[in-house]
Amino acid sequence: MTNFIFIVADDLGYADLGCYGGRSNCSPTLDKLAANGLRYVNGYSNSPVCSPTRFALATGRYQYWIRGASEEPMAGKARNNPEVGLFPEVPTIASMLKEQGYHTALIGKWHLGFRPYFGPEKSGYMHHFGPMSGGVSYYGHNARLPGSDLELDGEPYDEPGYLTDLISKRAVDYVKARAAQKEPFLLSLHYTAPHWPWETRAQGKIDPEVCKDIAHLDGGSVEIYQTMIREMDEGIGWVVDALKETGQLEDTFIVFTSDNGGERFSDNWPLVGGKMDLTEGGIRVPYIVHWPKGIQQPGRVSTQHCLTMDWTATILDIAGVTPPAHHPLDGVSMVPTLQAPGAEFDRPMFWRMKHNDQRAYRMGDWKYLKINEFEYLFNVTVDARERANQAKRQPERLAAMRAVYEQWAQGVPPIPEDANVSLVYSLADMPAR
């Protein structure tokens, strides 16, 4: 049975990695995985903000089916709310693989609802280590409240250390333990890096000021941000080495991505915008897939369009798992692109955001985009920066794509009026990007 590792970075920009044009040597491990695997250049996150994307990853469906995923993102206001989270009765990638005989673990960020109503073990994970909230300090391990936000197997927990390294080391121990037990596994390896606050391994200790305000609006730099990526990349390298040492690398399917586009110090070139935006910079993200046993002609670049939930569908496909009839997937398996060089198929993709009343639909070369009262039409294959609006030149195409979007939107629940929009910073904090 094939093992699975689903690695998710937090707020990583499209072009931060070397293999995506990054200007710093901060990702040698990931670059090597890409060189020996597949790299997708038309890959998207299900949302331009973290927790909604994680709902889609967990369920293999558009996040709009679950009330909690309408939070942009889920914040502290969701505490003690039994409606805002990943309901335990919803099938997940972890619960479905667990039923198939896989050991399942989430090492890293949960961010899918608070206790007592929600938690990793309620949604199929047999082991969990990591933070329950969104952003946390890397040494203090706290979120917006004092005290550690970490849990270990459902119980409050803390230990000293740099969180990125703690996550990586736990992942190493986990893959070695599965080899010793001869158990196939799903490891959801969900880093908080390179999400704020801006802290690196060299800091070496808790910063009380950061713990007071983890948004860290007056801190950070491009160099610190890139160091945070490099330290995550090193940890991924430790996991890859552990797979090699235990003879598991050949038949372990690894996929790496980000939960949304980049934030303050990210490199999204040539894309415009970032986190919270449905412009390309907010939703186009890296996808690196490594699977020596299953990829034909590794080292390729695929232009196949895909969303986060498609990789959930892909993993279930490889594992031979059929979801329950009451849980039809919106995700589409990417297995054909692994097996046949050049294999591509049409993949319509839809997004919406309460923030700025945004909507988007990409099909083929074209993207329909609405932000507040303004509508746009872009050929993103030739105009990835979305600077040459074709709406006036091609009104028929605009109308047709708008109609397709509206038909899709009628088939999913509307955005709840009380859905939360949380902006960490505004123009008062820094100029427009």
Side-chain angles (χ1 to χ4, degrees):
M1 296 169 72
T2 299
N3 302 314
F4 302 102
I5 302 181
F6 204 142
I7 308 174
V8 183
D10 204 337
D11 291 2
L12 182 80
Y14 178 76
D16 279 325
L17 305 181
C19 57
Y20 280 85
R23 287 167 263 194
S24 172
N25 181 27
C26 64
S27 56
T29 297
L30 289 166
D31 295 347
K32 186 175 181 180
L33 288 177
N36 294 297
L38 290 180
R39 182 167 63 90
Y40 292 75
V41 293
N42 280 301
Y44 291 82
S45 58
N46 263 72
S47 172
V49 64
C50 42
S51 52
T53 293
R54 294 167 193 274
F55 278 91
L57 185 161
T59 64
R61 305 186 76 198
Y62 275 114
Q63 62 271 25
Y64 313 113
W65 296 107
I66 300 178
R67 165 62 185 87
S70 294
E71 302 292 290
E72 297 176 358
M74 185 180 295
K77 295 178 182 178
R79 292 183 186 276
N80 300 314
N81 189 330
E83 298 301 316
V84 180
L86 180 55
F87 301 117
E89 65 270 20
V90 175
T92 66
I93 185 174
S95 67
M96 288 184 275
L97 285 175
K98 180 182 176 183
E99 291 176 1
Q100 194 77 359
Y102 280 80
H103 196 283
T104 59
L106 168 62
I107 298 180
K109 177 175 172 177
W110 167 246
H111 205 191
L112 292 173
F114 295 98
R115 299 198 181 278
Y117 306 105
F118 312 104
E121 81 288 350
K122 298 177 186 293
S123 291
Y125 285 110
M126 301 165 69
H127 170 59
H128 169 241
F129 165 78
M132 296 295 287
S133 301
V136 296
S137 60
Y138 285 83
Y139 280 97
H141 307 155
N142 69 299
R144 298 291 186 179
L145 301 174
S148 173
D149 191 59
L150 303 185
E151 281 194 4
L152 177 61
D153 293 330
E155 298 295 331
Y157 179 79
D158 200 17
E159 65 177 270
Y162 182 55
L163 183 56
T164 300
D165 288 347
L166 295 180
I167 290 171
S168 297
K169 290 173 182 176
R170 289 269 178 176
V172 168
D173 292 343
Y174 179 78
V175 300
K176 289 182 177 180
R178 301 285 68 75
Q181 296 295 323
K182 295 182 171 56
E183 291 177 305
F185 64 85
L186 164 71
L187 170 58
S188 297
L189 181 53
H190 296 181
Y191 287 94
T192 58
H195 192 289
W196 44 264
W198 315 110
E199 299 182 292
T200 68
R201 189 184 294 150
Q203 180 177 305
K205 61 183 179 180
I206 294 173
D207 184 331
E209 292 303 313
V210 168
C211 290
K212 289 179 184 177
D213 182 8
I214 62 168
H216 209 180
L217 293 175
D218 59 353
S221 67
V222 170
E223 290 74 23
I224 290 173
Y225 173 80
Q226 291 174 342
T227 299
M228 294 170 71
I229 297 173
R230 184 177 300 111
E231 289 167 347
M232 175 184 66
D233 183 86
E234 288 177 7
I236 295 169
W238 302 339
V239 176
V240 172
D241 288 344
L243 291 169
K244 289 180 184 176
E245 292 167 9
T246 55
Q248 297 179 102
L249 184 61
E250 183 72 15
D251 199 13
T252 296
F253 179 93
I254 302 172
V255 58
F256 171 90
T257 189
S258 178
D259 59 355
N260 49 252
E263 216 223 30
R264 272 165 267 180
F265 299 108
S266 305
D267 188 352
N268 278 335
W269 180 262
L271 313 178
V272 167
K275 186 175 182 178
M276 298 294 287
D277 302 326
L278 289 183
T279 47
E280 293 289 282
I283 51 177
R284 201 188 293 197
V285 292
Y287 280 96
I288 295 168
V289 180
H290 185 272
W291 185 26
K293 186 175 180 179
I295 293 176
Q296 301 299 314
Q297 295 185 21
R300 294 183 281 119
V301 173
S302 174
T303 57
Q304 172 63 49
H305 301 176
C306 56
L307 283 163
T308 312
M309 62 187 178
D310 295 336
W311 294 100
T312 304
T314 303
I315 288 173
L316 294 174
D317 186 8
I318 294 169
V321 173
T322 301
H326 68 276
H327 189 79
L329 300 185
D330 296 316
V332 178
S333 174
M334 294 290 124
V335 165
T337 69
L338 308 176
Q339 296 176 338
E344 292 186 10
F345 51 88
D346 288 341
R347 177 65 177 107
M349 300 178 291
F350 301 89
W351 297 264
R352 73 180 189 198
M353 287 285 285
K354 184 174 184 178
H355 175 57
N356 285 334
D357 189 24
Q358 297 177 83
R359 59 175 68 174
Y361 161 46
R362 181 169 182 186
M363 180 61 182
D365 295 341
W366 291 90
K367 180 179 175 183
Y368 163 68
L369 176 66
K370 179 178 180 290
I371 304 174
N372 293 318
E373 71 271 29
F374 302 110
E375 288 187 309
Y376 309 90
L377 179 67
F378 298 110
N379 182 329
V380 288
T381 298
V382 298
D383 177 27
R385 267 183 84 72
E386 298 168 295
R387 301 292 84 181
N389 186 9
Q390 303 295 308
K392 292 181 180 178
R393 184 181 293 272
Q394 298 199 43
E396 296 85 1
R397 187 187 295 274
L398 176 70
M401 293 193 74
R402 181 197 302 122
V404 172
Y405 175 87
E406 291 175 348
Q407 182 179 19
W408 169 83
Q410 290 173 6
V412 294
I415 298 174
E417 291 186 5
D418 63 345
N420 180 64
V421 177
S422 297
L423 297 176
V424 174
Y425 56 87
S426 69
L427 290 175
D429 301 297
M430 63 192 74
R433 55 192 172 200

